[in-house]
């Protein structure tokens, strides 16, 4: 088997709320993602998919358990190290594109590369190549408002992959699109992922899309089980 890029071991997380008090969302969730593998994360709304993705993406910390990125236990590390690993190794896509409205599609993909120390010229070349891969070369100079929902989401994928992360995490990335567009956007995502050998964990309600991924896991009672 190929290298494990992301490993979650015994992840637990609860939230404190007024009524009915503490809610335990994750209860010892385990997962190993291998390089090149695309895994569907399926569960009803409220089951804890976003919580799990945020912990896996080092945006939130678990109450217990380990998050290992490329073999390194990142959960015990300080904020600076976690931020660095997140920036270099993890790409995140949400249900809504969250592109910066005042910048063009190309610039939205250039910016995270500049923040990571890439030169303007190399960043622009990489952004153009990514846009071309998802069929949006002709839209490079458009701002998000001038793009359709499916196009915006394809740009968001390019941005997530701009710094060549090992891991892509996506939270209902096609949840906001009609079925035909959703299909198209998913195909673009698979082209991007297959071209790089990165691992992806993609939360979706859509069982038909889930079936097109390499493997499916379900979040049930706070743990991950095969679907
Ligand atoms: P999903 O993504 O599967 O819809 P979430 O991870 O968003 O599920 O939420 C799981 C549960 O945890 C829900 O009951 C939600 O209300 C609760 N929850 C999520 N985030 C918080 C928070 N910051 N504070 C309190 N409760 C939260």
């Amino acid at each position: 088997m190929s290298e494990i890029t992301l490993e979650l071991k015994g992840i637990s997380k609860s939230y404190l709320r007024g009524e009915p008090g503490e809610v335990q969302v994750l209860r010892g969730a385990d997962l190993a993602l291998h390089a090149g593998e695309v895994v569907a994360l399926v569960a009803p709304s409220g089951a804890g998919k976003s919580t799990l993705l945020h912990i896996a993406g080092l945006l939130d910390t678990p109450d217990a358990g380990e998050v290992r990125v490329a073999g390194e236990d990142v959960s015990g590390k300080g904020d600076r190290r976690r931020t660095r690993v997140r920036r270099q190794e993890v790409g995140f896509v949400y249900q809504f594109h969250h592109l910066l409205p005042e910048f063009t599609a190309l610039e939205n993909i250039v910016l995270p590369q500049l923040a990571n120390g890439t030169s303007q010229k190399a960043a622009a070349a990489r952004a153009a190549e990514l846009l071309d891969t998802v069929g949006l070369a002709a839209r490079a100079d458009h701002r998000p408002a001038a793009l359709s929902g499916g196009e915006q989401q394809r740009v968001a994928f390019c941005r997530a992959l701009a710094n060549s992360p090992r891991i892509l995490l996506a939270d209902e990335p096609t949840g906001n699109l009609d079925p035909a567009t959703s299909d198209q956007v998913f195909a673009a995502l698979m082209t991007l992922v297959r071209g790089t050998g990165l691992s992806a964990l993609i939360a979706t309600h859509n069982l038909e899309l889930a079936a097109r991924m390499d493997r499916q896991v379900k979040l049930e009672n706070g743990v991950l089980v095969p679907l």
Side-chain angles (χ1 to χ4, degrees):
M1 252 300 202
S2 53
E3 178 208 3
I4 293 178
T5 52
L6 172 72
E7 191 168 15
L8 304 178
K9 283 182 162 178
I11 300 292
S12 295
K13 180 79 179 177
S14 44
Y15 294 110
L16 274 179
R17 280 195 298 210
E19 290 290 334
E22 193 180 74
V23 186
Q24 184 149 20
V25 182
L26 301 175
R27 303 164 184 265
D30 297 309
L31 178 73
L33 273 190
H34 292 263
E37 188 179 41
V38 179
V39 176
L41 173 61
V42 183
S45 191
K49 295 185 297 296
S50 302
T51 300
L52 185 87
L53 288 170
H54 285 145
I55 290 172
L58 310 177
L59 294 163
D60 197 0
T61 49
D63 299 333
E66 272 178 32
V67 180
R68 303 183 82 90
V69 175
E72 177 184 350
D73 178 9
V74 193
S75 31
K77 298 286 161 68
D79 277 355
R80 280 183 56 182
R81 178 71 191 143
R82 287 158 43 85
T83 301
R84 187 126 142 247
V85 173
R86 181 173 70 237
R87 230 186 243 154
Q88 291 174 348
E89 306 289 8
V90 184
F92 220 105
V93 180
Y94 299 88
Q95 184 171 355
F96 298 97
H97 59 83
H98 294 301
L99 296 170
L100 298 172
E102 66 275 40
F103 293 97
T104 65
L106 189 102
E107 288 164 347
N108 267 281
I109 306 166
V110 163
L111 288 169
Q113 298 181 74
L114 299 183
N116 203 36
T118 309
S119 74
Q120 169 75 39
K121 195 173 162 204
R126 165 111 182 119
E129 182 191 312
L130 284 165
L131 283 171
D132 192 39
T133 306
V134 298
L136 291 180
R139 296 281 190 276
D141 296 328
H142 289 57
R143 291 190 181 175
L147 300 172
S148 71
E151 288 171 342
Q152 290 167 344
Q153 210 53 338
R154 281 186 271 163
V155 175
F157 287 140
C158 295
R159 179 184 53 182
L161 298 194
N163 286 326
S164 307
R166 279 182 226 244
I167 302 156
L168 175 72
L169 301 172
D171 197 354
E172 302 271 357
T174 63
N176 193 34
L177 304 171
D178 64 73
T181 309
S182 168
D183 236 48
Q184 223 180 32
V185 166
F186 182 74
L189 174 63
M190 291 305 264
T191 305
L192 280 173
V193 169
R194 295 302 188 211
T196 56
L198 68 91
S199 329
L201 181 62
I202 303 174
T204 182
H205 280 309
N206 184 329
L207 291 178
E208 196 251 319
L209 287 189
R212 284 157 62 184
M213 301 188 209
D214 301 324
R215 182 155 70 88
Q216 297 77 29
V217 295
K218 184 168 63 165
L219 192 50
E220 196 172 69
N221 301 319
V223 297
L224 290 166
V225 293
L227 186 67

